Amino acid sequence: MKRRNFLKACLIGGTTIALGKTNKGWASGSFEGYPEAMGVLVDTTRCIGCRSCEAACNKEQKLPEPDTSFDDPSVFEHDRRPTAKAYTVVNRYQKEQPSGPVYRKVQCNHCNEPACLTSCFVNAYTKTKEGAVIYNSKVCVGCRNCMIACPFNAPGYDYDSATNPIVKKCILCYDTRLKYGKPPACVEICPQEALTFGHRADLIKLAHERIRATPDRYVDHVYGEKEVGGTSWLYLAPVGFDKLGFDTTLSNDPIISNVKDFLGMVPMVLSIWPALFSGIHLLCKNQEHDGHGHDTDSNQEDTKP
């Protein structure tokens, strides 16, 4: 049975890649988004850098205590990025300005057409109808293509086990909240209402209404509305987004649009090896499980809708 699974993994993976696509990644030309997708609007003019969102995320996702307390402002002395132990972080910008600093929450932005999903040759990622990009550690082979592909540098890698690689990132609290219609824990805890949860389409309207109502408060742009095909996390800001650490050079096209022509020309010989690698990994993982009862549980696995 294990040998059959191995051959099946090789066949499916090889066929899929040889055809030049993963099962979800090639539709960018006619992609029209997810009508039911939810999202979060971040109004950086309201954030005070309390880091309540970080603490709520850690608690909800059962992450370890941070190396630096959530009450310690020294973390703002340098930019941070999400890691396997902190799915979201808050950074401080514009601290020398008379109007005061601007705080920006960072996490996976849950792209409409995720580069992590497209780059994953074992389909460890799923884009749910609710808009969340979730991850299945049971099929991950630890290649970290997703980390390279992500335009927002969001996925973190758990280095605790070399034989059981796990990529970790924000999943919009999919397992415990989003699929039940509840807002993510970070949104619910925010004391400043800097985070607004709702349907992505409604949030875009709300963002533009705020800009129209108070044009002196915001720059006339909603980050995430169009970048890389749009994201579920949207941002309003009082200054140019480039001053808040956002990548303002990103195209409005999904990442896959930039590489699909190239991938379509990749010779089969270069496409087969990932499938073989995938099959070998799955075979070894199954043998390890049968022989030693290895526990592969994680907070993010088996989260397919």
Side-chain angles (χ1 to χ4, degrees):
M1 184 61 186
K2 302 300 184 298
R3 181 174 298 174
R4 182 180 299 175
N5 286 342
F6 167 72
L7 294 174
K8 183 178 179 181
C10 291
L11 177 63
I12 294 174
T15 302
T16 300
I17 299 172
L19 289 173
K21 59 183 179 180
T22 64
N23 62 357
K24 305 180 186 69
W26 252 206
S28 59
S30 59
F31 183 69
E32 297 179 354
Y34 294 81
E36 301 177 47
M38 308 300 288
V40 179
L41 174 63
V42 183
D43 191 333
T44 60
T45 69
R46 298 183 179 185
C47 182
I48 58 174
C50 68
R51 300 177 63 206
S52 297
C53 53
E54 292 187 32
C57 177
N58 270 41
K59 182 178 180 181
E60 184 74 17
Q61 299 300 325
K62 298 180 174 55
L63 299 176
E65 288 295 316
D67 296 332
T68 304
S69 166
F70 290 117
D71 298 325
D72 189 341
S74 67
V75 297
F76 294 129
E77 293 175 1
H78 59 275
D79 283 359
R80 298 176 295 152
R81 51 149 297 187
T83 68
K85 297 180 180 179
Y87 298 169
T88 185
V89 297
V90 177
N91 291 326
R92 182 176 63 187
Y93 301 90
Q94 300 285 294
K95 56 185 177 183
E96 306 299 334
Q97 296 300 312
S99 57
V102 179
Y103 297 93
R104 172 199 168 192
K105 183 179 182 300
V106 184
Q107 70 293 304
C108 168
N109 285 329
H110 299 271
C111 301
N112 287 341
E113 276 208 76
C116 57
L117 183 154
T118 306
S119 67
C120 182
F121 57 82
V122 295
N123 289 323
Y125 287 91
T126 300
K127 175 75 173 178
T128 73
K129 62 182 176 60
E130 296 89 350
V133 179
I134 59 176
Y135 164 80
N136 184 350
S137 66
K138 286 186 175 179
V139 299
C140 178
V141 297
C143 69
R144 286 176 281 180
N145 282 344
C146 55
M147 298 177 67
I148 298 171
C150 177
F152 302 109
N153 202 25
Y157 193 75
D158 188 348
Y159 290 90
D160 289 345
S161 173
T163 58
N164 186 29
I166 297 177
V167 174
K168 292 187 173 182
K169 69 174 195 67
C170 164
I171 56 171
L172 269 177
C173 294
Y174 179 79
D175 294 336
T176 55
R177 289 172 167 270
L178 184 63
K179 68 180 181 182
Y180 302 112
K182 298 179 180 179
C186 58
V187 175
E188 193 169 83
I189 200 68
C190 181
Q192 295 296 113
E193 297 184 352
L195 309 178
T196 304
F197 173 72
H199 284 96
R200 182 177 183 274
D202 294 336
L203 294 176
I204 291 173
K205 293 178 182 177
L206 175 62
H208 285 290
E209 286 172 3
R210 287 186 186 178
I211 293 173
R212 281 193 295 271
T214 51
D216 295 336
R217 187 180 179 91
Y218 305 103
V219 295
D220 188 11
H221 183 70
V222 180
Y223 194 93
E225 178 181 3
K226 296 180 180 178
E227 281 79 6
V228 295
T231 63
S232 285
W233 281 76
L234 306 159
Y235 288 84
L236 288 172
V239 296
F241 285 94
D242 58 322
K243 296 180 174 58
L244 304 181
F246 289 87
D247 186 347
T248 56
T249 66
L250 294 175
S251 166
N252 289 343
D253 295 325
I255 297 297
I256 185 60
S257 297
N258 300 321
V259 298
K260 63 181 180 181
D261 291 339
F262 166 75
L263 291 177
M265 296 186 292
V266 174
M268 182 176 294
V269 66
L270 296 179
S271 302
I272 291 298
W273 76 266
L276 289 171
F277 184 47
S278 169
I280 292 170
H281 173 80
L282 292 174
L283 180 60
C284 293
K285 217 168 185 178
N286 287 336
Q287 288 177 337
E288 183 180 4
H289 177 78
D290 292 343
H292 306 289
H294 182 69
D295 184 2
T296 58
D297 286 346
S298 79
N299 292 331
Q300 299 190 35
E301 62 190 18
D302 291 330
T303 52
K304 291 183 178 181

